[in-house]
Structures are given as C-alpha cells and as structure tokens.
Amino acid sequence: MRETLSDEERALLHSELHRLQIEHRDLDAAIAALEQLGAVDQLQVQRLKKRKLQLKDRLIVLQDRLTPDIIA
C-alpha cells in the first residue's frame, strides 16, 4: 500500500518532476547536438546518456509516487 501524500508533498514532487523533465529534455538536445557535430568525445556522450537514464529512472519513481493506487 502506498503512503498518503499531503498537498505540500505532492506539490514538491510535481516541482521535482517538472525540473527533471526539463533536465532530461535538455540532455537529449545536448546529446543530439554533439552527435550532429560528427567528431565528438564519445566519453562525454556516454556520460550524458548515463545521466539521462538516471533521470528517466528517477522520473519513473516520482510518477509512480504521484499516481494513486487503483484497487481492482
């Protein structure tokens, strides 16, 4: 069973979710821009992709916490 979130906790989670979505989108754009340049530092691209995956995992956790349980 999930914990019940207060309005303040829910607002904080939404705020963090929004911030992480922006960062995830910005990383996606940065990776695409670096890859379009051709001769890029593959280590840098790899690090950006790893950070992007970490953000995606955190986004999933936050979305899960914000989604109410559905009792079947």
Side-chain angles (χ1 to χ4, degrees):
M1 185 187 292
R2 288 194 198 167
E3 66 200 80
T4 303
L5 298 173
S6 70
D7 289 341
E8 184 178 336
E9 290 169 325
R10 186 171 288 282
L12 287 172
L13 289 175
H14 275 291
S15 176
E16 184 178 359
L17 182 67
H18 181 68
R19 182 185 62 78
L20 293 176
Q21 287 170 331
I22 290 170
E23 186 177 351
H24 187 269
R25 185 177 56 237
D26 290 348
L27 278 172
D28 197 35
I31 291 167
L34 284 172
E35 289 176 337
Q36 281 183 344
L37 290 176
V40 297
D41 181 1
Q42 289 302 315
L43 183 59
Q44 182 182 11
V45 171
Q46 188 177 23
R47 287 179 180 153
L48 291 174
K49 287 182 178 183
K50 183 177 180 179
R51 174 66 182 146
K52 187 178 165 194
L53 286 173
Q54 290 170 338
L55 287 173
K56 184 172 182 166
D57 290 344
R58 180 67 181 144
L59 285 166
I60 290 168
V61 169
L62 288 174
Q63 289 169 341
D64 189 48
R65 285 191 67 198
L66 288 166
T67 306
D69 278 338
I70 299 174
I71 300 172

